[in-house]
C-alpha cells in the first residue's frame, strides 16, 4: 500500500475539556490554591482568580486590567452588594449554574447589574415574568424600572393593563405614587369594560389617604374618560361626590362630560383624549371544557371557547371517557386527572397540547383512583386534592412534578372531601366545601406549601358539594353545587384579608357539577345539572351590574366536566 504524499491527520476536539477545566479551577478556588484576589463583601472574604472573574464579568475585567488601584491590590472591597448574591454570582462564574428563587431575586438582580452579568440579569427577569400576578405586578414593574430592565418593565406594564380590574383591588395599587397611577390610567390599552371602573379605581386610591391625596384628584381625574360614562353614573355618582363638587377643576371636567352627552350634534367639535374609547389588546385566552356526564354516560369529548369569535368548537377528544375529572393548566398544557369512565374509577392522566391539538398519556398516574377530584396549579406543581376511589372519600393530596414526571404525597387535609372546589390565591391552595362521604360541607381549609400544612379558614355560608370555584378580582368565588336536598344557584365569595365569606347574586340557573373559570377577566359558569336537565348553557357574572347573564351554549351538555384556560399561542407576542 502506497503512502499518501500528504501527512496523515486526525483532528480532535474534546467535549469534556471545558467542563473538566472549569471543575478543576473551581476545586482550586475552594482549596484557596493559586487564588490571586480576595473580595471583601460585607463581613465575608471570598477567594478567587482574577482571570476567571475577568473572563465572566466586564466589571471585573475593567477593574483588574485597567489603571484602577484595585488592579494591584490582593484584597478588594466591593460595596453596595449583598453577600449571598455575590457568593451565588462567583459560584456561577466557576460552575455555570445558578438557582434564582423568590428569596434571592431582589438582591441577585441588582448584583448582576453591577457586575454586568447580562445572562443572569436575563434569568432574573425571566423568573420575575413568571411570577407576575395582579397582587405583585406593580412592585415588579417598579423594581424593573429601578434596575433598567426594559423588557421586564414592558411586560409588567402590559400585564398591569390586561389585568387592571384585579390590580386595582391590590394593596400595591393603593400605595402607588401619583405619577405611576397616571401612567397606568392614561393608557389606551387599559383593559376595562367601562370607564366607570377607572373612576372607581382612582377614587379608591384618593380616599385611601384622602387628606394627602385630594390635591391630586384633578390631575388623575383628567385621565378618566368621563364623556364615555352613562349619564346616570356621571350625574348620580361622579357629580354627587363631595370631593368632586368641592374642586373647581373637577367640576369643569364633569361639566365638559355633561355637555358631550347632552349635545350629540356638537360632538364632532368636542373630540379629544377623553372622548376616545380605549382599545385594550385582547388577552388571548381560550376556555376548554373537558369530559363530564351527558345523556346517561361519561363522555370523552372536549371543546374550546374563543371569546374573540364567541364560538364553541370541538377539538381532539381524550382517549378515555371521564366524568368527575379534574382539569388544570400547567405551562400552557391542559391536564385531565382521574374521573370515572362509566364503569370504573380512574387514576390515569392525560395531557393536551393546544399547539398540536393532541392528547398524550405519557403522564405518571396518581397513586390511587380518583373521581370528583379537585385539581389546581401552585408554583410549578399540579395538585390533586381529595375525591373518592370507589371505596371511600379521600382526604389525601398529591402533587405532580412535570420535570420528573412523578407524583408525591404531601400533607393530608383535615377533612375528607369529594366534589371539592380548589383554588390558588396569594401562594395558598384552598380546598372549598365538598362532601365527607356523608353530607355536604361548608368548611374551607388552605395549604401552605412552605410549611406543608393545612389550616382552617372561615366556612362558607352554605354547604356545597360538586361546586364551582375560581379566583376573580383577588377573591375566591364559590358557585352552585348541591346541599342536602337540592341543586344550588347561589354564589358567595371569600376575602383572605377579611377571612370572611359574603353572598353574591345568584346565577340564573341551578348548577351542580358546574365548571367555573376566569377568561379574559370575565367569570364564567359552565354546564352542570339543574335537578332535571344536564346543562350546556354558559353564564357570565357582571360585577358592575351585579348580575349573571347567559352568553351561549356548548355543543355538549356536561355535568362534572373539567374546565381550564389556556393562552392563545398566536396572541403570545402581544404580551410576552
Amino acid at each position: 500500500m502506497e503512502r499518501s504524499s500528504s501527512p496523515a491527520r486526525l483532528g480532535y476536539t474534546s467535549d469534556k475539556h471545558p467542563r473538566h477545566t472549569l471543575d478543576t479551577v473551581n476545586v482550586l478556588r475552594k482549596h484557596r490554591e493559586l487564588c490571586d484576589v480576595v473580595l471583601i463583601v460585607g463581613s465575608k472574604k471570598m477567594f478567587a482568580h482574577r482571570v476567571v472573574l475577568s473572563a465572566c464579568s466586564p466589571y471585573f475585567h475593567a477593574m483588574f486590567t485597567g489603571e484602577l488601584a484595585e488592579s494591584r491590590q490582593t484584597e478588594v472591597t466591593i460595596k453596595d452588594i449583598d453577600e449571598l448574591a455575590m457568593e451565588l454570582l462567583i459560584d456561577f462564574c466557576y460552575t455555570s449554574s445558578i438557582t434564582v428563587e423568590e428569596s434571592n431575586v431582589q438582591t441577585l438582580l441588582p448584583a448582576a447589574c453591577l457586575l454586568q452579568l447580562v445572562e443572569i440579569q436575563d434569568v432574573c427577569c425571566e423568573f420575575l415574568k413568571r411570577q407576575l400576578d395582579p397582587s405583585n405586578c406593580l412592585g415588579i414593574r417598579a423594581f424593573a424600572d429601578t434596575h433598567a430592565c426594559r423588557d421586564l418593565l414592558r411586560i409588567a406594564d402590559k400585564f398591569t393593563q390586561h389585568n387592571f380590574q384585579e390590580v386595582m383591588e391590590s394593596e400595591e395599587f393603593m400605595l402607588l405614587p401619583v405619577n405611576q397611577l397616571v401612567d397606568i390610567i392614561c393608557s389606551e390599552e387599559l383593559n376595562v369594560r367601562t370607564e366607570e371602573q377607572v373612576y372607581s379605581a382612582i377614587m379608591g386610591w384618593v380616599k385611601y389617604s384622602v387628606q394627602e391625596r385630594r390635591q391630586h384628584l384633578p390631575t388623575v381625574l383628567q385621565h378618566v374618560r368621563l364623556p364615555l360614562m352613562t349619564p346616570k353614573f356621571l350625574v348620580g355618582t361622579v357629580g354627587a361626590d363631595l370631593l368632586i363638587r368641592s374642586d373647581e377643576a373637577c367640576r369643569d371636567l364633569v361639566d365638559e362630560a355633561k355637555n358631550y352627552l347632552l349635545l350629540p350634534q356638537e360632538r364632532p367639535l368636542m373630540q379629544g383624549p377623553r372622548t376616545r374609547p380605549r382599545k385594550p389588546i385582547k388577552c388571548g385566552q381560550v376556555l376548554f371544557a373537558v369530559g363530564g356526564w351527558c345523556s346517561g354516560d361519561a363522555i370523552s369529548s372536549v371543546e374550546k371557547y374563543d371569546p374573540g369569535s364567541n364560538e364553541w368548537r370541538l377539538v381532539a377528544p381524550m382517549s378515555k371517557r371521564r366524568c368527575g375529572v379534574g382539569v388544570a393548566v400547567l405551562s400552557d398544557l391542559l391536564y385531565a386527572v382521574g374521573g370515572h369512565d362509566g364503569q370504573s374509577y380512574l387514576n390515569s392522566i392525560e395531557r393536551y397540547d393546544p399547539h398540536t391539538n393532541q392528547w398524550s398519556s405519557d403522564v405518571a398516574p396518581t397513586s390511587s383512583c380518583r373521581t370528583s377530584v379537585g385539581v389546581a396549579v401552585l408554583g410549578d406543581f399540579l395538585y390533586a386534592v381529595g375525591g373518592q376511589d370507589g371505596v371511600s372519600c379521600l382526604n389525601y393530596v398529591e402533587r405532580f412534578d412535570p420535570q420528573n414526571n412523578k407524583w408525591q404525597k404531601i400533607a393530608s387535609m383535615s377533612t375528607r372531601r369529594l366534589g371539592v372546589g380548589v383554588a390558588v390565591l396569594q401562594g395558598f391552595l384552598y380546598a372549598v366545601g365538598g362532601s365527607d362521604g356523608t353530607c355536604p360541607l361548608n368548611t374551607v381549609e388552605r395549604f401552605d406549601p412552605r410549611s406543608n400544612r393545612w389550616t382552617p379558614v372561615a366556612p362558607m355560608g352554605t354547604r356545597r358539594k360538586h361546586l364551582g370555584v375560581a379566583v376573580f378580582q383577588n377573591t375566591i368565588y364559590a358557585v352552585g353545587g348541591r346541599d342536602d336536598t337540592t341543586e344550588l344557584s347561589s354564589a358567595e365569595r371569600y376575602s383572605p384579608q377579611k377571612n370572611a365569606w359574603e353572598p353574591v347574586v345568584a346565577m340564573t340557573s341551578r348548577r351542580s357539577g358546574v365548571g367555573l373559570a376566569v377568561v379574559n377577566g370575565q367569570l364564567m359558569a359552565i354546564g352542570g345539572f339543574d335537578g332535571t336537565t344536564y346543562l350546556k348553557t354558559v353564564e357570565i357574572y357582571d360585577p358592575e351590574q351585579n348580575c349573571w347573564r347567559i352568553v351561549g351554549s356548548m355543543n355538549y351538555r356536561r355535568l362534572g366536566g373539567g374546565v381550564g384556560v389556556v393562552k392563545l399561542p398566536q396572541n403570545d407576542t402581544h404580551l410576552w
Side-chain angles (χ1 to χ4, degrees), residues 427-446:
F428 294 98
L429 176 68
Y430 287 80
V432 182
S435 169
D436 61 7
T438 304
C439 62
L441 305 168
N442 67 344
T443 58
V444 183
E445 49 190 308
R446 75 178 185 184

Side-chain angles (χ1 to χ4, degrees), residues 129-169:
K129 286 180 198 176
R130 298 181 182 188
Q131 299 298 111
L132 280 169
D133 180 85
S135 65
N136 67 19
C137 60
L138 293 173
I140 290 176
R141 181 194 181 281
F143 190 62
D145 195 19
T146 299
H147 299 292
C149 300
R150 293 180 182 175
D151 191 46
L152 179 60
L153 178 61
R154 177 184 62 82
I155 289 167
D157 267 337
K158 295 291 184 187
F159 186 93
T160 300
Q161 292 162 12
H162 287 319
N163 297 277
F164 182 73
Q165 295 164 56
E166 289 85 6
V167 172
M168 62 181 272
E169 305 287 340

Side-chain angles (χ1 to χ4, degrees), residues 473-549:
Q473 296 183 343
N474 285 319
T475 55
I476 297 175
Y477 278 69
V479 309
R482 181 179 171 85
D483 62 11
D484 295 287
T485 59
T486 186
E487 282 67 32
L488 303 169
S489 61
S490 63
E492 51 191 306
R493 63 187 172 201
Y494 172 78
S495 165
Q497 287 76 27
K498 300 175 183 176
N499 187 28
W501 291 84
E502 63 178 8
V504 182
V505 65
M507 296 180 290
T508 63
S509 301
R510 298 178 182 272
R511 296 179 186 267
S512 174
V514 59
L516 194 69
V518 176
V519 188
N520 288 355
Q522 293 187 304
L523 185 67
M524 303 180 70
I526 299 103
F529 180 64
D530 67 4
T532 305
T533 306
Y534 298 113
L535 303 173
K536 60 180 178 180
T537 56
V538 179
E539 49 188 302
I540 285 181
Y541 174 65
D542 184 339
E544 299 299 315
Q545 303 296 325
N546 192 30
C547 68
W548 294 84
R549 64 179 189 275

Side-chain angles (χ1 to χ4, degrees), residues 302-496:
V302 181
E303 51 190 305
K304 72 175 182 181
Y305 171 73
D306 182 353
S309 62
N310 194 30
E311 290 181 345
W312 286 90
R313 293 184 179 177
L314 292 170
V315 297
M318 297 178 289
S319 66
K320 292 184 181 292
R321 296 177 295 160
R322 298 177 187 268
C323 174
V325 58
V327 171
V329 176
L330 179 58
S331 300
D332 288 337
L333 298 173
L334 201 69
Y335 286 78
V337 180
H340 191 280
D341 65 5
Q343 295 179 325
S344 57
Y345 296 85
L346 305 172
N347 68 343
S348 64
I349 318 295
E350 299 186 54
R351 180 180 58 225
Y352 176 76
D353 186 343
H355 296 76
T356 61
N357 189 30
Q358 290 183 339
W359 289 88
S360 61
S361 301
D362 59 349
V363 186
T366 50
S367 64
S368 72
C369 299
R370 293 172 182 261
T371 189
S372 300
V373 57
V375 177
V377 169
L378 175 57
D380 296 323
F381 298 99
L382 181 74
Y383 287 76
V385 180
Q388 60 178 325
D389 60 6
V391 177
S392 59
C393 181
L394 308 174
N395 68 338
Y396 61 78
V397 183
E398 299 178 75
R399 73 179 182 190
F400 175 71
D401 182 352
Q403 299 297 321
N404 301 317
N405 193 27
K406 287 183 179 178
W407 288 88
Q408 174 190 17
K409 282 191 176 181
I410 58 171
S412 295
M413 296 180 290
S414 62
T415 304
R416 298 176 184 272
R417 299 178 188 270
L418 68 87
V420 60
V422 292
V424 171
L425 180 60
Q426 297 176 358
F428 294 98
L429 176 68
Y430 287 80
V432 182
S435 169
D436 61 7
T438 304
C439 62
L441 305 168
N442 67 344
T443 58
V444 183
E445 49 190 308
R446 75 178 185 184
F447 174 73
D448 185 345
R450 295 167 286 273
S451 62
N452 191 32
R453 290 181 58 192
W454 289 88
T455 54
V457 298
M460 293 183 290
T462 301
R463 295 195 289 171
R464 303 175 189 271
K465 64 179 179 180
H466 304 298
L467 68 161
V469 168
V471 172
F472 182 57
Q473 296 183 343
N474 285 319
T475 55
I476 297 175
Y477 278 69
V479 309
R482 181 179 171 85
D483 62 11
D484 295 287
T485 59
T486 186
E487 282 67 32
L488 303 169
S489 61
S490 63
E492 51 191 306
R493 63 187 172 201
Y494 172 78
S495 165

Side-chain angles (χ1 to χ4, degrees), residues 157-168 184-185 187-195 197-198 278-285 473 518-522:
D157 267 337
K158 295 291 184 187
F159 186 93
T160 300
Q161 292 162 12
H162 287 319
N163 297 277
F164 182 73
Q165 295 164 56
E166 289 85 6
V167 172
M168 62 181 272
I184 293 168
I185 64 170
S187 169
E188 294 291 320
E189 297 175 2
L190 201 63
N191 184 25
V192 289
R193 288 189 302 278
T194 65
E195 209 61 29
Q197 290 178 305
V198 187
R278 300 182 195 266
K279 296 180 179 178
I281 293 174
K282 292 179 181 177
C283 293
Q285 293 178 327
Q473 296 183 343
V518 176
V519 188
N520 288 355
Q522 293 187 304

